[in-house]
Amino acid sequence: MQIKSDLHRTNETVHETGNYVCAAGITKSFNEGDAFPVCPKSKQETTWRHVEHEHHTGEKVTEFGSYVDKDGEHMELLEGDTFPDCPKSGQPTMWKHDGTLEVNA
């Protein structure tokens, strides 16, 4: 049985066409069958995650970037931060990358 992971590493094959973000917060489009490259910023091996991936309040931030919650509140978070409650409601929420750091390098 194959276990699907939401975290992909440099040189792994892309299994789902779409936009992905690396650990440095840079977003890039890939097609199924492509290989995940090194980070466009650092030129080092990195991890990639689909931009539609959701993060929940209390989880660790694994990629620097700008995020948006379910209420449309935007926040810039650093790797190692913890996803906060919704700034508007103060309740737990889900966060996604908002794409403002998009670079097609």
Side-chain angles (χ1 to χ4, degrees), residues 27-96:
T27 303
K28 192 167 168 70
S29 296
F30 297 109
N31 293 311
E32 183 178 349
D34 290 347
F36 287 103
V38 296
C39 174
K41 183 176 181 180
S42 71
K43 308 298 184 215
Q44 301 294 313
E45 288 190 7
T46 190
T47 56
W48 294 88
R49 201 181 291 266
H50 199 282
V51 295
E52 292 300 314
H53 177 78
E54 293 181 329
H55 307 273
H56 299 273
T57 295
E59 291 180 350
K60 281 263 190 223
V61 176
T62 58
E63 300 98 13
F64 163 79
S66 295
Y67 293 85
V68 61
D69 76 358
K70 289 174 63 172
D71 291 336
E73 297 294 315
H74 292 260
M75 184 172 284
E76 189 170 290
L77 298 168
L78 301 174
E79 183 178 349
D81 285 349
T82 301
F83 285 99
D85 289 334
C86 174
K88 184 188 258 181
S89 71
Q91 298 297 311
T93 190
M94 294 188 308
W95 295 87
K96 289 184 181 182

Side-chain angles (χ1 to χ4, degrees), residues 18-30:
N19 294 322
Y20 290 79
V21 62
C22 75
I26 297 172
T27 303
K28 192 167 168 70
S29 296
F30 297 109

